[in-house]
Amino acid sequence: MTTLAKAAHAVGAIQELENGGAPLNAFLAVAHPESLAVANSEGLLAGIPLAVKDNLATTGFDTTCGSKVLEGYRSPYESTVVRRAKAAGAVVVGKTNLDEFAMGSSTENSAYGPTLNPHDRSRVPGGSSGGSAAAVAAGLVPMALGSDTGGSVRQPAAFCGIVGIKPTYGRVSRYGLVAYASSLDQVGTLGRTVTDAARLLQVVSGYDERDATSDERPVPDLLGAVGRGVEGLVIGVPNEYLPDGLDPALRDLVNTALRELEEAGAKIRRVSLPHTRYAIPCYYVLAPAEASSNLSRYDGVRYGVRCAEADLISMYQGTRSTGLGIEVKRRIMLGTYALSAGYYDEYYGTAQRARRMITEDFRSVFDDGVDALFTPTSPTPAFKIGERMDDPMEMYLSDVFTVTANLAGIPGISVPIGSIRGLPVGGQVLAPWWQEDQMLAIAGELETRIQGAEA
Ligand code: GLN
């Protein structure tokens, strides 16, 4: 096949599935076959069909963030990650579905309907990058871009049986990523294999003068790290991530993965991250606080949909009450409250202090000679569509093992470690800041050793 033929084939396959009798609703937009072009036929991603989460500004497509308020919105500029992927030869074949403004863990919060899990269509694909994960898992594209503020790349990767990476905060430019919670947001990559996810990360990583939080450190050889092995590495297993009530089948899969790593030459050490219990409350104060500020720009004046009203205030009110969904409004209210005079220190200040303690937990185990940590990615496999929609607390708990990496800014990857009752399960490797290569070496070892373990 010519480099372009692969992308044209992917577009055909997406259209056939999504317009057929059993759509996944993984895509919000699909490229016109005539618009496809390969910018670089020698690049690391030459001719690779790429799916892009719809909160990344991509020229030639709308960028809706899964929200009504941005229906029909076209960004005048391109995100750095998409620009870099295209420059390496990737062909953007479509924009993927997500929880509105990336707020959610199931993709059910999209204003354009939920995405279904290709392994079991009665279940969610995870979220918020559920469209990207489902597209990769269904074989429509080999890799996809997502964003991870509290687990939104890793958790859907786990639910869909694929690989998802959240890099170190600052490794990848956020320019053109629509902001949710800026101190936690990071673009991530999803792939069918560790190598695919690493290849895309290699291309999009590195300093960008357009993002003040992007870091100047050189990007290590990520692709080369995948086959490097784990000989001599110390892998920590935090007790707090294997709590008493954990599904025994999940515990078995984690133990099997650890035995494999041990056999490959790694040393396994039990460790403690004592402030883990503050992670969910801390995250669900800080993320909404930042969101309440970031989302104030959707007022009908500059972007997307405007609700026509007689005066300015009614126009703001009308636009925001009809344009934003219920979960987004819940977060704006929570965040506004947490930042309000009189409560600021009690909520926002306390959460900031908890964030510092969670970060110090990681720093001290890494300083103590632990090279990386291994945990389950999520406490359960994919749940049923609708199951958690009436209980936000239950939904928030899906993120209990993933939010800590965002709070601390460390990199994490989810890699398949088997399945429970036919549903895929992910294991998470967390590494010290800037050591994505270490993390990829471990994930690569697991991938070669674990093929279809069933608990
Ligand atoms: N599920 C988490 C939330 O709702 C994480 C989302 C994300 O990483 N974008 O905030």
Side-chain angles (χ1 to χ4, degrees):
M1 280 205 247
T2 66
T3 43
L4 202 53
K6 260 194 281 185
H9 184 263
V11 167
I14 295 166
Q15 277 166 341
E16 201 180 309
L17 179 73
E18 296 291 53
N19 300 328
L24 291 173
N25 200 29
F27 285 86
L28 296 179
V30 184
H32 290 291
E34 320 82 68
S35 71
L36 301 173
V38 177
N40 176 359
S41 53
E42 308 287 302
L44 211 48
L45 302 178
I48 302 272
L50 179 71
V52 177
K53 187 175 182 179
D54 205 25
N55 60 351
L56 285 161
T58 310
T59 52
F61 293 89
D62 291 351
T63 296
T64 70
C65 295
S67 182
K68 277 230 169 331
V69 87
L70 284 179
E71 192 163 12
Y73 172 69
R74 285 252 155 161
S75 166
Y77 67 93
E78 187 132 84
S79 51
T80 295
V81 287
V82 170
R83 188 171 51 76
R84 287 186 179 171
K86 284 183 180 172
V91 184
V92 178
V93 294
K95 299 293 294 290
T96 56
N97 201 5
L98 67 158
D99 288 297
E100 185 174 4
F101 287 106
M103 297 177 191
S105 311
S106 67
T107 316
E108 292 166 289
N109 294 334
S110 169
Y112 305 99
T115 296
L116 314 185
N117 189 318
H119 292 272
D120 174 348
R121 283 157 191 264
S122 70
R123 291 177 188 268
V124 303
S128 62
S129 311
S132 286
V136 173
L140 297 171
V141 287
M143 49 184 90
L145 286 168
S147 67
D148 190 313
T149 303
S152 279
V153 163
R154 291 161 288 154
Q155 185 255 26
F159 280 16
C160 289
I162 61 162
V163 176
I165 306 176
K166 181 203 91 77
T168 310
Y169 185 81
R171 175 67 87 195
V172 177
S173 171
R174 290 181 297 114
Y175 182 74
L177 167 66
V178 177
Y180 159 19
S182 313
S183 80
L184 302 158
D185 296 340
Q186 195 58 194
V187 175
T189 63
L190 301 102
R192 299 193 86 170
T193 63
V194 177
T195 298
D196 280 351
R199 183 185 298 267
L200 181 55
L201 184 61
Q202 188 89 56
V203 166
V204 300
S205 290
Y207 177 67
D208 177 16
E209 61 179 16
R210 289 169 165 151
D211 172 3
T213 61
S214 105
D215 195 271
E216 290 185 33
R217 256 164 265 242
V219 181
D221 177 11
L222 302 176
L223 268 176
V226 178
R228 203 162 75 186
V230 299
E231 185 72 52
L233 293 182
V234 178
I235 298 173
V237 183
N239 295 327
E240 293 79 3
Y241 288 67
L242 295 171
D244 283 343
L246 196 72
D247 182 346
L250 176 54
R251 189 184 297 273
D252 284 350
L253 290 175
V254 168
N255 286 332
T256 306
L258 289 170
R259 267 198 306 278
E260 292 293 341
L261 290 171
E262 216 166 9
E263 229 162 75
K267 290 189 201 46
I268 307 299
R269 193 196 285 176
R270 283 288 187 155
V271 298
S272 174
L273 300 166
H275 298 98
T276 303
R277 65 180 181 282
Y278 301 125
I280 288 286
C282 169
Y283 174 86
Y284 278 100
V285 169
L286 295 181
E290 295 187 30
S292 69
S293 162
N294 276 327
L295 269 64
S296 64
R297 71 191 66 170
Y298 306 109
D299 55 8
V301 177
R302 285 162 297 180
Y303 299 96
V305 170
R306 171 178 305 174
C307 177
E309 291 285 349
D311 61 274
L312 186 68
I313 297 297
S314 322
M315 190 273 280
Y316 287 162
Q317 283 173 343
T319 301
R320 287 169 75 76
S321 34
T322 56
L324 300 174
I326 179 164
E327 182 61 25
V328 172
K329 286 182 202 160
R330 176 163 30 236
R331 306 264 179 125
I332 291 172
M333 284 190 276
L334 276 171
T336 305
Y337 185 76
L339 291 174
S340 59
Y343 292 102
Y344 181 93
D345 191 56
E346 193 177 338
Y347 291 107
Y348 187 74
T350 305
Q352 287 285 43
R353 287 186 283 278
R355 181 179 193 173
R356 171 59 63 91
M357 294 193 282
I358 289 162
T359 306
E360 288 311 313
D361 280 356
F362 283 112
R363 199 185 303 283
S364 75
V365 293
F366 293 139
D367 281 352
D368 211 24
V370 170
D371 294 302
L373 298 162
F374 186 74
T375 79
T377 305
S378 181
T380 66
F383 43 88
K384 291 266 188 199
I385 291 174
E387 194 181 305
R388 300 194 181 179
M389 281 305 268
D390 298 330
D391 188 349
M393 211 41 218
E394 187 69 16
M395 188 71 92
Y396 297 170
L397 285 171
S398 348
D399 306 324
V400 61
F401 300 146
T402 48
V403 294
T404 49
N406 303 79
L407 290 167
I410 59 173
I413 186 171
S414 180
V415 59
I417 56 164
S419 55
I420 298 178
R421 295 172 293 277
L423 298 170
V425 165
Q428 176 177 236
V429 183
L430 299 172
W433 296 266
W434 313 110
Q435 294 189 24
E436 285 85 356
D437 51 343
Q438 199 88 290
M439 175 181 99
L440 288 165
I442 298 167
E445 188 70 49
L446 282 170
E447 179 177 62
T448 44
R449 287 175 167 262
I450 297 179
Q451 304 258 318
E454 172 80 40

